[in-house]
Amino acid sequence: MISFVNAKINIGLNVVGKRADGYHLLETCFVPVGLHNGTPDNPEPFCDILELADSSDTTLPGSYSSLGISYLFSGNKTDCPPEKNLVVRAGELFCNEYLAVSGKSIPEATGGLTLLLDKHIPDGAGLGGGSADATFSLRLLNGRLGSPFSDDKLEEMAIRLGADCPVFVRNRPVFAEGIGEIFSPVESEGIRDLAERPWWIALVKPDLHISTREAFAGLSPARPALSLRDALRRPITEWRDCVVNDFEGSLFPLYPELARLKQELYLHGATYASMTGSGAALYGLFPDAESARKACAEIEAPYRTVCRL
């Protein structure tokens, strides 16, 4: 079983409050990106790859095993030990939940499994790559075991792995509130436009890794004068003036390269440009592939790619 793992972008991100336990309250729109990866009109690769096999070989170099699943990693290196990798944590969570409902361990049910992650989506970008890997791992395992868990249950499991993990269960645009896990439909002219005709993004990322702690440190939570829901109801051509990522206000003064890249996207014709998540990737929305590719080719950044939305 093979799964091509897409990422997400945030269209607007307002930090509107803070809970007593320290978690920040957000309002954002999650939009999957990379769903058309590998199709004739979008041949540029922009995905991670997960492969699930019916075997478990703990002798393979670099493998890590837990609860009857062996894990192998290739592609971009991750800066954490295997036991803390979100794919491993997702696998262990699934194993424990499956044992609770079926009374069987993974070795008893399957004879053992191997899960290979081939990593390409850049880390520390605000693209949700690690969260997507974790949730797609849950989905792969669920399919292999005969779908014992509903999408609602998978979302409940995914939130235990990370605030933006549940969005990859159903993998469609949603308006998100709470800490990013309360979903509702997006009633938006602009989002409908993105879905109804091809839009393209030019995605650029400087050589920066911004920690979550650093990103939130400079924020003062507050509700904007125009709510994100209302801002998104406007046409995409008006988003530049009203759809805001609050992290830009705190991070751009610290990292002028981020502000430069956003300005470059606009100078090269983006209809709307923004940082995604808490950075450090930025994207520009373009109405056609040619203009997105031209912008991406002319903007200087360590990481650049073009992808159809």
Side-chain angles (χ1 to χ4, degrees):
M1 299 175 68
I2 295 178
S3 186
F4 298 97
V5 182
N6 60 271
K8 61 82 181 169
I9 56 172
N10 297 78
I11 299 183
L13 200 171
N14 299 145
V15 182
V16 298
K18 190 174 183 180
R19 301 194 317 195
D21 61 6
Y23 282 95
H24 287 82
L25 299 173
L26 312 175
E27 290 182 351
T28 190
C29 179
F30 289 124
V31 174
V33 59
L35 295 176
H36 301 279
N37 177 78
T39 58
D41 63 347
N42 190 187
E44 295 93 339
F46 184 69
C47 65
D48 293 342
I49 302 171
L50 282 167
E51 182 174 359
L52 184 64
D54 281 359
S55 64
S56 181
D57 187 350
T58 60
T59 65
L60 292 172
S63 68
Y64 176 82
S65 297
S66 177
L67 302 178
I69 302 177
S70 294
Y71 301 88
L72 289 168
F73 305 97
S74 63
N76 297 345
K77 292 184 179 180
T78 55
D79 295 327
C80 68
E83 63 272 17
K84 292 187 178 181
N85 188 289
L86 277 171
V87 168
V88 175
R89 290 177 54 202
E92 291 176 339
L93 174 59
F94 186 91
C95 290
N96 290 326
E97 290 290 329
Y98 183 75
L99 178 63
V101 299
S102 71
K104 294 182 180 180
S105 67
I106 292 299
E108 290 171 331
T110 68
L113 299 169
T114 295
L115 189 58
L116 168 65
L117 170 64
D118 190 25
K119 184 74 178 168
H120 298 281
I121 297 171
D123 285 336
L127 294 165
S131 297
D133 294 334
T135 303
F136 273 75
S137 296
L138 293 177
R139 290 172 52 181
L140 264 182
L141 291 165
N142 196 49
R144 171 60 184 84
L145 273 297
S147 300
F149 302 119
S150 67
D151 283 351
D152 286 344
K153 176 62 178 177
L154 288 175
E155 286 183 347
E156 183 273 321
M157 293 163 65
I159 190 60
R160 289 185 254 169
L161 300 169
D164 59 354
C165 288
V167 73
F168 294 104
V169 173
R170 292 179 171 89
N171 214 22
R172 63 193 182 204
V174 292
F175 193 85
E177 300 172 270
I179 61 172
E181 87 292 7
I182 301 172
F183 300 148
S184 58
V186 188
E187 298 175 356
S188 162
E189 175 184 339
I191 299 299
R192 283 195 300 271
D193 190 4
L194 294 179
E196 290 172 358
R197 65 185 178 100
W199 279 81
W200 293 74
I201 65 168
L203 186 74
V204 295
K205 180 183 180 295
D207 191 17
L208 292 174
H209 186 102
I210 300 170
S211 70
T212 303
R213 180 184 296 274
E214 180 183 20
F216 277 99
L219 286 178
S220 298
R223 292 190 176 274
L226 178 68
S227 73
L228 180 58
R229 278 192 185 276
D230 290 337
L232 288 172
R233 290 190 176 100
R234 298 184 177 184
I236 296 173
T237 53
E238 297 181 16
W239 284 0
R240 180 174 183 172
D241 299 320
C242 61
V243 178
V244 176
N245 182 334
D246 285 348
F247 286 105
E248 293 181 5
S250 62
L251 292 176
F252 280 13
L254 298 176
Y255 301 104
E257 178 74 353
L258 297 173
R260 180 190 71 80
L261 287 171
K262 180 177 178 179
Q263 183 63 20
E264 284 283 296
L265 287 165
Y266 276 127
L267 288 174
H268 286 88
T271 303
Y272 173 73
S274 176
M275 188 168 70
T276 180
S278 56
L282 298 102
Y283 65 88
L285 294 180
F286 292 82
D288 60 81
E290 182 180 358
S291 57
R293 290 191 176 112
K294 183 179 180 181
C296 204
E298 294 181 359
I299 296 174
E300 294 185 9
Y303 179 89
R304 298 175 293 177
T305 194
V306 173
C307 191
R308 179 185 164 185
L309 273 179

